Amino acid sequence: MNRTFIIIIFFVIIVCGLIYLKFYKNNNVNSQRLNRNINEEILADSNNINKIAATILQPITNSLQNISAAPEDSLSQITTNKTSNSPFVEGELILRVSDDAVMKQLESQLEEKGILVLRRVDQLGFIRVKLPDKMRADEMKKILSEIDDIKEALPNVRTEIPKDVNNIPMLDHGRPITAVANKGNELLKNTDPALRAELGNNIIIALLDTGVDDTHPDLTEKTLQGYNFVDDNAITSDKNSHGTACAGIIIGAGKNPDSTIGIAPAAYLLPVKVMDDNGKGNSFAVIEGIVYAVDRGAKVINLSIGTLRDSKILREAIDYAISKGAVVIAAAGNDGEEKTLLPAGYKDVICVGAVDGAKLHAPFSNYGDKIDVVAPGVAVYTTAPDGGYKSFTGTSAAAPFVSGAVAALLSQSHNLSPAEAMEKVLNLADNLGPANYDYLFGNGIVNIKRLIEKDSDSIYDAALTTLYFEPANLLPGSETKVHFVIQNQGNRTISFGKFLYQIGEEKKEISIRKLNVGECEDITLSWTVPSEKPEGEMRIQGYFKISEADDEPMDNGQAVILQRAEWE
C-alpha cells in the first residue's frame, strides 16, 4: 500500500469512530437527528474522503471563535492539503487588521509562530499569510485568539480568465454566428475617424490581466510602466495573449494595414499583471492590482477576469476604487448560463455581456439580471504577443469595448463621478431584444456617438432595434404576436414619424407622434401563421421613417424572410 492510501484508510477509521461515539453518547436521540448532525458537523461540503480528512485536519472555522465570522463553508476548506478543485488558495488566509499602524508588529508576532506574511495592502488593512504545513487546528486557534489586532480571517478566493471560447462553432442551433467586422466600430456607432483619434485623451485605463506585450507596434506608444503582482516585479509581459488581446481593443494604434484603431486610442494603458501565464490568479493579487492602479491615477479599470465565489476583499477593493473616482468594468463570463462572474455581478461594476456581428446574443455569453450592457465579442480582430494579431472571442473581448467607451466619455466630461458615468453608459445604450431592459442584453449595446455628444442636440437617429415573434416557434395555423421595437437613438426628441410594416401580403403604416431621447416603443401586431404553404417566400419587415434627416438611416429597418421549408 502506498502512503496516501494508508492515510485515507486511517481517516476513514477516525470518521467511523466519531460516528460511533456520537451514537453512543446520544442513544436517546432518533436516527434522523443523528444523521443530520453528522452531516452538518463532519461531512459538510464533502464529496470525497480527501475533503473529509481535510476538514478534520484543519477545521479553521471552529478555531477562530474570537474573530468576526467568515462564511463557514469557505474557511472549512482552507487547509494545507492540496486539492485541485478548491475555490480557495489552500494553506492561506487573508487577515483583516484593526489598524495599519500595527502591521509590522503583527508580522513579527505571526512569523514567530511560523505563519509567513506574504503580502499586505495597508490601504484596506489586509495581510496575506501562509500557514505552516503541520500546524494543528488547536495551535491556529490559540495563536489567533491571542492577537487582538486580527479582526477577521477570510479565504483567498481563486480567480481566472473566463472560459476559452475562441474555437466555438460559428453556428448556434443552426443559426450562423456572425463575426464582428471593422473591430465593432459600426456596431458601436463609432464611425467618425477624426473624432475617434482623440477618444480617451489622457485617461489612464488599468488592465488587470495576464500582462501586455508593450513592445507591440500598436501598443507601445500608449502603454505605461505597470506592475506584476504574480511575480512581484515590474515585468508585465504577456505569455498568455489574453491581456494583449484586450489591450488592442482599447488603445490599438492601427500602425499597419492589417490592424485597426482601438476604441480609445488617445488613452494610456496601465498593465497590471494579476493572472499567471495560465490565466489563473487569486483575489488578493487582484485587490493589490486595483489599489495600485487607482493610486496611480487610473480612472477606468478593465477586469476581463473573475470568479464565481463571492470575495469580501474584492468587494472592498472595488469600493476603494470607486471612492477614488474610478469606473470599474468587468466581463460577465463565457459559460452561456444565467449567472455572472464576480466582480461583474457586483452592484457598482458595469457588467458586460457579448453579442455577435449581427447584434445577436452570443450563445457563450452569460446572462441574467446583473447584465448592464453588451458589446461585440465574436471573432474580434486584435493584437497578439510578438507583434502579431488574432481573432478574439468572449465577454473578455466585449468588456474592453466598454472600458474604451467609458474612457471616451470621461475624456469629454472630466468631472463625472463613477456613478454618473455608469448611468450615462446604461441610459445612452441602444436597445436590443424586447423594449427596455432585457436579461440577455441588459440596457443594450453601447453607443459611443451618443455618449460623446450627450450634451448636444445634434443627432437625429430613429431605429428599429428588434423584430421578434411570440412565441418564437412559428407553427402553421397558430396565433402569434409580431413585435417591432423602435427607439429614439439620437439626442433630440423625434416629434413625428411613420412606421411602415409588411406581414405577408398585408402592408400598413402607423403614425408615431412623439419619441423622447432613448425612449422605446413596442409595436405589437397579432398574426395567424398561414396553414397552407406559401407559393414563395413570406416577408415580414418594418421600417421607421422620421420627418427629419436621419443621421443613421441604415438601422431604420429589419426584415425576416420565411422560406417554404418552414411549413414542412
Side-chain angles (χ1 to χ4, degrees):
M1 295 186 191
N2 61 38
R3 183 177 179 182
T4 301
F5 184 74
I6 293 173
I7 292 173
I8 292 172
I9 294 300
F10 175 71
F11 283 110
V12 168
I13 293 171
I14 290 177
V15 171
C16 293
L18 290 172
I19 294 172
Y20 173 78
L21 289 173
K22 191 167 190 68
F23 181 80
Y24 180 78
K25 292 180 180 180
N26 297 277
N27 56 359
N28 292 326
V29 181
N30 62 54
S31 61
Q32 182 177 3
R33 180 179 176 186
L34 175 62
N35 288 335
R36 184 175 68 249
N37 288 341
I38 292 170
N39 285 334
E40 291 175 351
E41 297 178 18
I42 300 176
L43 303 179
D45 202 20
S46 300
N47 295 320
N48 53 53
I49 296 299
N50 284 332
K51 285 188 177 182
I52 297 171
T55 304
I56 295 171
L57 280 171
Q58 295 283 350
I60 296 177
T61 305
N62 296 331
S63 69
L64 305 183
Q65 294 175 354
N66 70 314
I67 299 176
S68 300
E72 292 196 8
D73 71 323
S74 300
L75 291 185
S76 64
Q77 295 181 53
I78 301 171
T79 74
T80 54
N81 300 282
K82 301 296 182 184
T83 56
S84 60
N85 61 346
S86 171
F88 312 112
V89 180
E90 294 89 351
E92 289 190 10
L93 284 175
I94 310 300
L95 303 180
R96 184 193 299 277
V97 180
S98 60
D99 186 346
D100 59 11
V102 303
M103 284 279 195
K104 288 187 177 180
Q105 178 184 347
L106 182 58
E107 283 187 40
S108 299
Q109 288 180 281
L110 291 171
E111 289 177 0
E112 287 176 2
K113 305 297 184 180
I115 300 174
L116 179 63
V117 175
L118 301 176
R119 304 283 297 176
R120 50 191 256 195
V121 177
D122 293 2
Q123 295 91 327
L124 302 179
F126 289 122
I127 60 174
R128 177 182 177 185
V129 301
K130 175 72 173 176
L131 308 178
D133 287 343
K134 297 181 180 180
M135 177 171 282
R136 299 194 313 271
D138 58 339
E139 291 178 308
M140 174 61 69
K141 175 182 177 180
K142 184 175 185 298
I143 290 171
L144 297 180
S145 65
E146 291 173 349
I147 304 176
D148 293 335
D149 293 313
I150 298 176
K151 297 304 178 186
E152 191 170 18
L154 298 164
N156 191 5
V157 176
R158 294 185 185 277
T159 56
E160 60 185 354
I161 59 176
K163 177 182 176 182
D164 186 356
V165 290
N166 283 296
N167 297 316
I168 63 166
M170 295 299 281
L171 282 174
D172 178 29
H173 298 90
R175 173 186 73 81
I177 302 173
T178 307
V180 173
N182 191 23
K183 212 168 186 181
N185 284 302
E186 280 80 9
L187 298 181
L188 303 176
K189 297 185 178 174
N190 185 30
T191 54
D192 185 341
L195 188 60
R196 281 169 56 188
E198 297 301 319
L199 294 183
N201 187 39
N202 291 327
I203 300 297
I204 298 176
I205 303 171
L207 178 63
L208 276 65
D209 216 287
T210 60
V212 172
D213 177 10
D214 59 5
T215 67
H216 195 292
D218 280 342
L219 305 176
T220 187
E221 290 182 6
K222 289 292 185 176
T223 301
L224 303 173
Q225 176 63 59
Y227 198 79
N228 179 342
F229 286 97
V230 176
D231 303 310
D232 195 16
N233 59 43
I235 301 172
T236 57
S237 57
D238 180 18
K239 295 181 180 179
N240 181 283
S241 84
H242 189 271
T244 301
C246 292
I249 294 172
I250 300 172
I251 62 160
K255 287 291 186 180
N256 68 64
D258 294 329
S259 61
T260 53
I261 298 175
I263 297 300
Y268 289 99
L269 190 81
L270 179 66
V272 186
K273 188 177 176 73
V274 295
M275 298 286 122
D276 65 19
D277 295 337
N278 296 313
K280 307 292 184 181
N282 63 80
S283 57
F284 195 87
V286 175
I287 73 165
E288 285 185 292
I290 291 173
V291 170
Y292 167 85
V294 296
D295 284 356
R296 280 152 186 78
K299 293 303 178 185
V300 180
I301 297 177
N302 187 94
L303 296 166
S304 290
I305 60 175
T307 176
L308 289 173
R309 298 296 298 229
D310 185 24
S311 169
K312 183 180 286 189
I313 66 170
L314 186 53
R315 278 187 275 132
E316 293 192 20
I318 297 293
D319 291 341
Y320 179 83
I322 292 170
S323 73
K324 294 288 187 177
V327 182
V328 183
I329 298 95
N334 300 338
D335 305 292
E337 299 176 7
E338 190 174 357
K339 63 182 182 183
T340 50
L341 294 178
L342 299 171
Y346 293 149
K347 179 182 176 182
D348 296 319
V349 175
I350 299 178
C351 177
V352 185
V355 294
D356 70 1
K359 296 185 183 179
L360 298 175
H361 173 71
F364 58 79
S365 179
N366 287 353
Y367 55 91
D369 61 5
K370 298 292 191 297
I371 299 293
D372 290 311
V373 289
V374 292
V378 175
V380 179
Y381 191 68
T382 185
T383 48
D386 301 321
Y389 298 90
K390 65 179 289 186
S391 175
F392 189 35
T393 293
T395 56
S396 290
F401 279 105
V402 180
S403 293
V406 172
L409 170 64
L410 295 178
S411 67
Q412 302 284 326
S413 304
H414 298 283
N415 295 324
L416 287 178
S417 70
E420 290 169 335
M422 182 175 181
E423 181 183 18
K424 296 292 184 187
V425 171
L426 272 55
N427 290 347
L428 296 176
D430 290 349
N431 181 77
L432 293 177
N436 304 311
Y437 187 88
D438 173 72
Y439 74 110
L440 291 179
F441 305 103
N443 292 276
I445 187 168
V446 172
N447 183 327
I448 291 180
K449 187 174 184 179
R450 291 176 72 195
L451 274 177
I452 61 180
E453 297 187 28
K454 64 183 182 355
D455 296 325
S456 68
D457 59 355
S458 58
I459 305 173
Y460 277 116
D461 182 16
L464 172 55
T465 68
T466 317
L467 192 174
Y468 70 98
F469 303 101
E470 184 185 7
N473 294 326
L474 300 180
L475 301 176
S478 65
E479 295 292 328
T480 189
K481 292 181 179 179
V482 183
H483 292 265
F484 297 95
V485 181
I486 60 176
Q487 184 184 26
N488 180 355
Q489 295 182 348
N491 54 22
R492 299 184 67 172
T493 299
I494 294 173
S495 56
F496 181 78
K498 289 184 178 181
F499 179 71
L500 299 85
Y501 71 88
Q502 175 184 350
I503 301 178
E505 299 299 321
E506 179 185 7
K507 297 181 180 180
K508 289 187 178 180
E509 73 174 40
I510 299 172
S511 295
I512 306 296
R513 294 298 177 186
K514 184 180 180 181
L515 208 57
N516 294 318
V517 174
E519 185 179 0
C520 291
E521 184 166 332
D522 185 340
I523 299 170
T524 305
L525 304 170
S526 296
W527 178 49
T528 301
V529 181
S531 299
E532 300 295 327
K533 182 187 297 186
E535 294 183 4
E537 66 183 26
M538 175 170 285
R539 181 178 292 270
I540 299 173
Q541 63 184 1
Y543 189 85
F544 186 27
K545 182 179 180 181
I546 58 177
S547 56
E548 299 85 359
D550 197 309
D551 290 304
E552 299 281 347
M554 297 299 293
D555 60 9
N556 288 33
Q558 286 196 33
V560 172
I561 298 175
L562 304 179
Q563 306 290 342
R564 284 168 53 85
E566 303 278 351
W567 274 260
E568 294 178 357

